[in-house]
Amino acid sequence: MSKVLVADFGTGNLHSVMTAIQVVSSGSEVEASRSARKIRMADRLILPGQGAIGTWMSELQDDNVRQAVNEAVRTKPVLGICLGLQALYEHSEEDGGVEGLKVLAGRVERFSDGLNDCGHRIKIPHMGWSKVHQTCQHPLWSGIPQDTRFYFVHSYFARSDRDSEVAAVADYGLEFTCAAARENLFAVQFHPEKSRRQGLRLLTNFLNWNGEV
Amino acid sequence: MPLAKRIIPCLDVDEGRVVKGVKFVNIRDAGDPVEVARMYDRQGADELAFLDITASSSNRETILHIVEAVANQVFIPLTVGGGVRTVDNIRSLLNVGADKISINTSAVERPEFIEEAAGRFGSQCIVVAVDARRVPDTNPPAWEVYTHGGRKPRGLDAVEWAKRMCDVGAGEILLTSMDRDGTKIGFDLELTRAVSSAVPVPVIASGGVGELSHLADGIEFGWADAVLAASIFHFGEYTIAQAKEHMKGRGIEVCEIIDEFE
């Protein structure tokens, strides 16, 4: 039986991610944990996260856990969600500046205040349903039409330095990377666990993915 | 802007039942929060709001069970409010599947609670509910903050209060006009616009919706980011899908349900 580990780094949406994964995971064993041993034993890893990135990254100060995550993102199917995407980049502006895992090339920045086309304030956080524009073919997009809307809630966004690592973009005052892919790694800024059936479809695709592109 | 404007049906829950006379013809038990939530999900609601109107400590367990049951079946964001006073209350709700927690009276009584809550769980899940009533004979218009379900005036200016709440970490404002609540004559658009243009976070307009055009007015003229309504959906007068169709006709971006996923 395939073992799915949902990393529990003590922030926000763990319950929602667990529930959604359990709904779509016929035949998989799903567990939430922060143990390095369990991260190593899992067949696939989900890195969820909501809240502040500083708190999330502080869980990775434990060298053993950090190393287990670093091994996983290079060897087995991994899905990052929200902070789980942002943490993969080199650096985030949040919480006074936080070093990331440096798996993906780029930086995480805060949306800036401004006005939209109608002259109204651009609200931060970016909260609600935005179109996800796929920029590459990928097994995780299987069955998901181009420009399908997913649910977002975030104040910081990833600015990718490597086009080959961008899997989708979204527009909120500016265009940002809302999905990233690299070999066995896939990460999304939006919340598939809160995005209706299209979200569940993406999670199903992840569980069926062998990690190859 | 490509971000869709959100439509949020609100369910008042008392002793574990949806109240205010929900009357769907096509569900078995219109008082069962889970059935009602599923119905709204099928219709294309962008989020759901639950207001625990009993909100006594003995009933906190009831709302937890409801949120958990809904979260197990409905995969859209859930906001829960009513009687939230402590960080532990918030944690319990998040742990059973709530995404956002709405706080009203406790924010007025202890503003530092919002800072504490946002610091602990992130601004994205802290909604401050502002119940406002027009101050008579003021020009330009002014609104006063009320708590305890609109019964208790608090001597605070609603616009200033909303700004202050954002400064201490509110990630969204749920703005209800107590003058309009239950009237079915539309939102207080001046109030909505005053708050929405003053705060950096999204504003949900609430109070007064009686027809579909009111929802679109809240977006177009109130500059709201989301609109909340109860009775027009509960009584089956309109579906969420009809509301979205109407808003789309008015040139407002909405999140349409994609058939192939149904």
Side-chain angles (χ1 to χ4, degrees):
Chain A
M1 191 187 278
S2 162
K3 281 198 177 77
V4 183
L5 192 90
V6 180
D8 176 8
F9 294 153
T11 55
N13 60 338
L14 189 72
H15 178 279
S16 301
V17 173
M18 287 295 287
T19 306
I21 282 288
Q22 271 154 356
V23 163
V24 299
S25 68
S26 55
S28 300
E29 189 185 308
V30 187
E31 192 184 353
S33 168
R34 65 185 73 191
S35 130
R37 189 178 60 87
K38 289 196 167 158
I39 292 171
R40 289 201 173 93
M41 280 167 48
D43 297 306
R44 52 190 76 233
L45 175 67
I46 297 180
L47 299 172
Q50 205 174 40
I53 199 165
T55 316
W56 202 93
M57 287 301 296
S58 67
E59 286 293 324
L60 293 175
Q61 274 170 358
D62 180 327
D63 284 344
N64 201 13
V65 175
R66 192 184 182 98
Q67 208 182 338
V69 170
N70 268 321
E71 284 162 23
V73 296
R74 288 174 173 86
T75 54
K76 58 182 98 175
V78 172
L79 176 65
I81 298 173
C82 194
L83 288 183
L85 170 138
Q86 296 180 4
L88 296 167
Y89 284 91
E90 294 159 48
H91 181 270
S92 169
E93 281 181 1
E94 193 175 1
D95 293 333
V98 173
E99 293 296 299
L101 291 167
K102 304 184 192 337
V103 181
L104 299 171
R107 301 169 70 79
V108 175
E109 299 173 11
R110 189 176 160 84
F111 285 117
S112 44
D113 296 319
L115 299 178
N116 66 18
D117 303 340
C118 308
H120 301 172
R121 280 179 95 142
I122 294 176
K123 300 303 182 73
I124 304 168
H126 168 216
M127 189 185 282
W129 299 79
S130 281
K131 286 181 179 172
V132 168
H133 188 77
Q134 301 162 21
T135 54
C136 68
Q137 292 211 321
H138 196 284
L140 266 75
W141 294 137
S142 169
I144 297 173
Q146 180 63 292
D147 294 326
T148 298
R149 287 183 193 267
F150 285 82
Y151 184 77
F152 287 79
V153 49
H154 61 128
S155 302
Y156 293 78
F157 67 93
R159 192 184 284 282
S160 178
D161 284 342
R162 214 173 277 148
D163 285 348
S164 62
E165 291 176 349
V166 179
V169 293
D171 182 354
Y172 192 61
L174 51 79
E175 197 178 88
F176 64 94
T177 301
C178 72
R182 208 194 78 145
E183 296 165 4
N184 54 297
L185 174 67
F186 198 87
V188 292
Q189 178 60 65
F190 52 83
H191 290 275
E193 77 281 8
K194 285 288 161 180
S195 295
R196 308 181 165 282
R197 289 128 193 109
Q198 55 266 41
L200 298 182
R201 178 64 198 243
L202 188 134
L203 294 174
T204 306
N205 289 346
F206 173 69
L207 294 182
N208 292 333
W209 184 36
N210 62 6
E212 288 168 16
V213 183
Chain B
M1 282 307 266
L3 177 63
K5 299 297 182 180
R6 291 169 280 151
I7 298 183
I8 308 172
C10 178
L11 309 181
D12 287 354
V13 178
D14 187 14
E15 309 277 353
R17 305 282 293 170
V18 179
V19 293
K20 272 197 188 170
V22 177
K23 286 182 187 164
F24 285 130
V25 285
N26 43 357
I27 59 177
R28 281 168 307 175
D29 179 0
D32 175 12
V34 179
E35 293 252 12
V36 177
R38 286 171 49 133
M39 177 73 196
Y40 284 139
D41 176 45
R42 282 198 297 272
Q43 289 185 359
D46 295 309
E47 299 184 18
L48 292 174
F50 291 87
L51 183 63
D52 180 10
I53 62 169
T54 354
S56 62
S57 49
S58 60
N59 276 293
R60 294 226 60 88
E61 289 298 314
T62 313
I63 194 78
L64 292 177
H65 289 307
I66 291 170
V67 173
E68 184 164 33
V70 171
N72 283 338
Q73 299 188 33
V74 173
F75 298 95
I76 57 176
L78 308 177
T79 298
V80 184
V84 175
R85 291 183 187 89
T86 65
V87 162
D88 280 344
N89 292 156
I90 298 176
R91 184 180 294 111
S92 310
L93 286 164
L94 294 178
N95 281 346
V96 293
D99 298 282
K100 298 190 267 188
I101 309 300
S102 168
I103 301 165
N104 178 351
T105 302
S106 304
V108 174
E109 286 175 353
R110 212 161 60 82
E112 63 276 16
F113 176 44
I114 299 303
E115 191 160 14
E116 202 180 314
R120 191 77 63 95
F121 304 107
S123 289
Q124 84 290 332
C125 72
I126 304 300
V127 182
V128 171
V130 177
D131 289 353
R133 204 182 281 278
R134 248 173 216 262
V135 179
D137 307 319
T138 45
N139 188 22
W143 297 267
E144 183 178 357
V145 173
Y146 279 66
T147 57
H148 297 82
R151 293 188 301 274
K152 199 168 167 184
R154 305 302 300 230
L156 295 163
D157 176 79
V159 176
E160 288 307 315
W161 174 247
K163 281 162 74 173
R164 184 171 158 210
M165 287 294 96
C166 296
D167 289 342
V168 296
E172 192 170 34
I173 299 289
L174 168 52
L175 177 65
T176 303
S177 161
M178 301 312 296
D179 302 301
R180 295 301 176 91
D181 203 29
T183 62
K184 294 186 159 261
I185 58 171
F187 296 119
D188 182 337
L189 296 173
E190 275 186 298
L191 166 67
T192 311
R193 194 165 57 238
V195 172
S196 188
S197 55
V199 300
V201 305
V203 170
I204 307 168
S206 155
V209 174
E211 47 191 89
L212 297 183
S213 62
H214 294 156
L215 296 169
D217 290 345
I219 304 288
E220 193 175 344
F221 304 118
W223 303 1
D225 301 282
V227 285
L228 179 140
S231 54
I232 66 159
F233 299 129
H234 290 346
F235 292 104
E237 290 166 55
Y238 300 105
T239 63
I240 310 274
Q242 286 170 328
K244 288 191 171 180
E245 198 56 38
H246 177 89
M247 282 168 57
K248 208 174 129 196
R250 293 263 301 260
I252 296 167
E253 290 261 0
V254 292
C255 180
E256 290 172 83
I257 294 291
I258 304 165
D259 291 338
E260 57 204 278
F261 289 112
E262 297 304 309

